[in-house]
């Protein structure tokens, strides 16, 4: 007996815009919709620390930094909402105040959490590489690590790995150096 191959219709960004508001955040990978769970407090604090760091950096060097939720349309069927994105001074023209962003950021940052880690290291990472995002950061608050990947021949290679007490350096943005402890600082003492 032959298996019946039933193709699912692809969902586009326009389909998402037409859907009724339900309070959820969505990403689209190759026309397939994924619900993004709400982040936990640790994730939010680290993401805000990253935003503050990159905000100071773009104030000195130019460019634009944005934080989730923000749709990045890589195509009509590939839409991501990274935690933090940076567009350099040379590419900040891609950010129009009243239009969705239709270009890969210069720096894309994801804060890993148990619910998003597999996607951030898998589908989303592959998608961003496919669309030429030059630099991809993964911040793991539980492991106390920041990984910086650099795009080489269409795939990401690890350019820098730093843990607590160390600094991470951008391979693409001159002078962009960040202390890991500064990013991972929560200001909240955890109870067991």
């Amino acid at each position: 007996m032959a298996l019946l191959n039933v193709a699912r219709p692809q969902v586009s960004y326009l389909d998402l815009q037409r859907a009724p508001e339900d309070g959820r955040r969505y990403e689209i990978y190759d026309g397939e919709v994924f619900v993004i769970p709400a982040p936990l407090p640790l994730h939010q604090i680290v993401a805000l620390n990253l935003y503050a760091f990159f905000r100071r950096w773009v104030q000195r060097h130019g460019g634009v930094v944005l934080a989730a939720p923000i749709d990045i349309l890589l195509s009509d069927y590939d839409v991501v909402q990274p935690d933090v994105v940076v567009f350099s001074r040379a590419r900040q023209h891609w950010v129009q105040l009243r239009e969705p962003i239709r270009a890969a950021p210069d720096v894309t940052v994801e804060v890993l959490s148990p619910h998003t880690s597999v996607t951030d290291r898998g589908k989303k990472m592959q998608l961003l590489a496919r669309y030429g995002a030059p630099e991809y950061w993964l911040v793991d608050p539980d492991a106390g690590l920041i990984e910086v990947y650099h795009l080489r021949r269409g795939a990401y290679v690890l350019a820098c790995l730093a843990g607590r007490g160390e600094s991470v350096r951008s391979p693409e943005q001159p002078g962009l150096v960040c202390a890991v402890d500064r990013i991972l600082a929560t200001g909240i003492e955890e109870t067991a």
Side-chain angles (χ1 to χ4, degrees):
M1 180 175 168
L3 293 175
L4 182 61
N5 185 4
V6 179
R8 274 190 294 197
Q10 286 192 319
V11 176
S12 71
Y13 181 69
L14 186 58
D15 295 328
L16 277 186
Q17 287 182 308
R18 291 178 180 159
E21 176 62 44
D22 64 4
R24 295 181 179 171
R25 292 176 36 214
Y26 297 96
E27 291 185 322
I28 305 173
Y29 307 125
D30 295 317
E32 187 177 352
V33 177
F34 290 84
V35 176
I36 304 170
L40 297 172
L42 175 61
H43 180 283
Q44 283 298 83
I45 291 169
V46 171
L48 289 170
N49 289 346
L50 284 157
Y51 176 81
F53 166 76
F54 283 109
R55 175 90 173 133
R56 286 187 298 275
W57 190 81
V58 298
Q59 286 173 337
R60 291 189 312 271
H61 296 85
V64 176
V65 61
L66 299 163
I70 185 85
D71 287 331
I72 304 294
L73 280 68
L74 301 169
S75 78
D76 288 336
Y77 299 96
D78 295 303
V79 181
V80 294
Q81 286 196 11
D83 291 316
V84 178
V85 295
V86 179
F87 286 85
S88 65
R89 177 188 310 227
R91 296 186 65 248
Q92 73 184 24
H93 65 275
W94 286 106
V95 179
Q96 299 297 312
L97 296 179
R98 291 176 175 79
E99 297 290 328
I101 297 170
R102 295 184 177 271
D106 291 286
V107 179
T108 306
V109 183
E110 290 294 348
V111 178
L112 299 178
S113 66
H115 296 90
T116 64
S117 181
V118 171
T119 301
D120 291 341
R121 288 187 179 282
K123 289 179 187 253
K124 187 181 285 188
M125 189 174 192
Q126 293 166 4
L127 195 65
L128 286 158
R130 188 167 79 206
Y131 285 98
E135 196 168 319
Y136 188 63
W137 291 35
L138 292 174
V139 179
D140 188 338
D142 291 327
L145 295 171
I146 298 178
E147 305 166 32
V148 177
Y149 292 87
H150 173 64
L151 191 62
R152 290 265 168 97
R153 293 185 281 272
Y156 286 119
V157 295
L158 185 63
C160 184
L161 173 65
R164 294 188 183 275
E166 300 176 319
S167 292
V168 67
R169 178 178 302 278
S170 166
E172 290 286 324
Q173 305 300 319
L176 200 159
V177 179
C178 176
V180 173
D181 291 340
R182 182 180 209 172
I183 298 304
L184 299 179
T186 64
I188 298 174
E189 190 170 324
E190 292 191 64
T191 57

